[in-house]
Amino acid sequence: MNDSDRSPLVGQFVLITQGRDAGQYAVIVDILDERFVLLADGDKRKFKNPKKKNVNHLEIFDFISPEVQSSINETGRVTNGKLRFAITKFVNEQVTDLKKGELFDG
């Protein structure tokens, strides 16, 4: 399934692949249109000052933070602490597992 076949969702985890923030993980906090989303990580990018990114510059994971998603849906916002916690948990649980399955050359 191609990335362009899926629509990004609020609360979904992404890896930034292009630009100054490349290599960093973030959460989608808003969807502007089919090409652009707003990202925050609760640390460098606070919820009040999210980063606008082209979805083509992101690796979108099939994982959504239910805490972040429900918080944004219910109140229209999410705390930076909740974003940091969700990303840390995601990276520790999912990314580590994904990397274990890959073969490293050298």
Side-chain angles (χ1 to χ4, degrees):
M1 186 156 146
N2 191 330
D3 282 347
S4 59
D5 297 342
R6 291 192 308 246
S7 307
L9 300 167
V10 168
Q12 205 163 19
F13 293 100
V14 300
L15 173 63
I16 301 168
T17 57
Q18 303 280 314
R20 196 171 56 192
D21 300 325
Q24 293 179 353
Y25 292 91
V27 178
I28 297 173
V29 294
D30 198 8
I31 294 158
L32 301 176
D33 56 35
E34 64 275 354
R35 278 190 58 216
F36 290 99
V37 296
L38 294 180
L39 303 177
D41 64 7
D43 184 21
K44 292 181 189 70
R45 276 284 164 194
K46 304 281 196 248
F47 177 76
K48 288 211 179 297
N49 186 27
K51 176 76 178 162
K52 180 180 173 184
K53 282 301 269 186
N54 185 324
V55 292
N56 294 331
H57 298 168
L58 303 172
E59 182 182 333
I60 300 174
F61 294 98
D62 282 329
F63 293 97
I64 292 173
S65 167
E67 298 91 359
V68 172
Q69 191 178 47
S70 65
S71 179
I72 291 174
N73 288 341
E74 287 166 22
T75 65
R77 61 184 309 275
V78 64
T79 64
N80 291 311
K82 198 174 275 189
L83 285 170
R84 286 192 302 272
F85 176 78
I87 290 173
T88 303
K89 190 173 160 198
F90 170 72
V91 170
N92 289 343
E93 291 176 9
Q94 305 300 336
V95 176
T96 328
D97 290 349
L98 294 172
K99 286 204 161 85
K100 280 181 196 157
E102 293 175 2
L103 293 174
F104 288 101
D105 190 24

